Amino acid sequence: MAHNHLEQTYLGQSHQEQFEKNIDYAQALIVGGRALEGLRSAAGNFGDLTAAHPEDLYRAAWTQAVSALDHWLHLEVVEHAVAIVTDPTRPRPLKLNKLQMPFDMAERLSGEARGEVFREFINEQIRRDTYQRSGGIKEAIRLVTTLNGDEIWRRVGTTLGVPAAQVQARQDAIVDRRNRIAHQADLGPDGRRSPMSADEADEAVAWVKALATALAQRFLPLAGMPVRATAAATGKVEASVAASAVTAQRAGRVGRQGGHAWLVRAGRGGIDADWALKNGVAVVGFHEIADLSAADDRDKVARQVRSSLPADAKEGRIENFSRQLWAFRGRIEVGDLVVLPVVKRQQIAIGEITSDYFFREDSNVRHRHLRHVNWIRDDIPRSSVRQDLLNTLGAFMTVCKIHENDGAWRIARLAENGEDPGPRSEAIRAPEDAEEETDPGKVAAEEE
């Protein structure tokens, strides 16, 4: 079985789960405040409710959300910094490279596990740092990426659909209010507490959650936080956090009911198959093409492809790239099955898609267009697959739907028991899918 080596735990929970529970607690405080408002106005003897004010619960929720972000970022920075230091293939961010380890700790490297020594070191280094205001968040991310501060916020802003300066200003304003609550009892210059409504607290908590998901999507995706962040028409940021993994079996069957199966190669010749399995993702190359997060229909994907390729790119190449990238970006759904040929071992891996598309900033340009996957099996021999299905898995393209000869059902059975039962009927074939039908002889070679 493949495992996500970067998925770490904190008190028995993943960092993502801990963050979400902390945010849930903040939201529960707001619910409590609303309930208290109702009790204060009710005609009943509940004691002196005038002494308990709903706004105090809203302030507690505000403070809790900011603390949740700070706590989560500390955990993620430690895990990613350790992963960078222990992997010689990953570039060292300048800020991380400048850290100076005490001599007594450096001596321990000769006799103890490098990762554990460095974990202790980085924990101590950042223990007193505060990752709340935009400046502190920038410094946290600089420890695990080679980007500068301006580029960090520009990319976060792109993900949220908000200008970078506004993202920073909004976050700083939330933290300023948190500090006033924590250190000045939320008193203004006139000595009175600043009013706070449930809606204000709701918006602040939602913003913090959206910012965290954007940071995870852009810079920390492989630590287990598959997310999608969007800007609503009202300008309020909303974020939906997908489950970090989907269970391998549902009611005795792999994959969602009525779901599809897709072939998704990990680059030319499956060059990144092991990397994809190790990190719990489906990855395609198409390294020339920029971020597709905002391209929510095929025409937008085609425009992005056209603008990313050289001006003399042939129409056939543009069409081929657009078709496959739109399938990966927009047609594959959470719960669909994905098949990855592991060429060098003559095996196939099968997983279940657990997130929407996301774009990862990475020094390896092949590792940027991604979907999270719960890899169910990574060791199925090609000999366990019947020839007609093997022919489909030998398709020329990087991304295509497996729809002939009862393919999706058979892939699910392979994931469950490692054997291909063949089609349920010799004549079975999925309905014609005009968007996906492609003559392999007329498309460009799979991308790297």
Side-chain angles (χ1 to χ4, degrees), residues 168-190:
Q168 295 175 79
R170 174 65 169 143
Q171 180 63 19
D172 289 347
I174 287 174
V175 177
D176 287 344
R177 182 71 184 269
R178 176 266 172 198
N179 291 342
R180 194 162 77 240
I181 293 169
H183 305 303
Q184 301 171 22
D186 207 19
L187 297 176
D190 59 358

Side-chain angles (χ1 to χ4, degrees), residues 269-283:
I271 187 173
D272 289 313
D274 287 338
W275 184 87
L277 293 170
K278 175 182 177 181
N279 290 294
V281 294
V283 58

Side-chain angles (χ1 to χ4, degrees), residues 251-318:
R253 286 290 182 261
V254 173
R256 64 186 173 85
Q257 188 68 27
H260 302 295
W262 300 81
L263 172 68
V264 180
R265 300 184 187 281
R268 187 183 297 276
I271 187 173
D272 289 313
D274 287 338
W275 184 87
L277 293 170
K278 175 182 177 181
N279 290 294
V281 294
V283 58
V284 291
F286 298 99
H287 65 274
E288 306 96 327
I289 311 305
D291 186 4
L292 297 171
S293 297
D296 55 7
D297 62 42
R298 183 172 171 178
D299 289 342
K300 291 178 182 176
V301 169
R303 286 196 291 272
Q304 181 74 296
V305 169
R306 190 178 299 275
S307 65
S308 298
L309 291 178
D312 60 352
K314 295 181 179 179
E315 286 300 318
R317 189 180 191 212
I318 294 171

Side-chain angles (χ1 to χ4, degrees), residues 7 16-17 224 226 242-248 250 334 352-355 372-375:
E7 178 69 16
Q16 171 202 349
E17 291 168 337
S244 61
V246 178
T247 55
R250 294 176 182 164
V334 171
E352 191 167 5
I353 296 290
T354 62
S355 82
H372 277 284
V373 175
N374 173 35
W375 291 110

Side-chain angles (χ1 to χ4, degrees), residues 215-226:
L215 290 168
Q217 182 175 357
R218 279 292 183 175
F219 308 109
L220 310 172
L222 298 184
M225 200 174 196

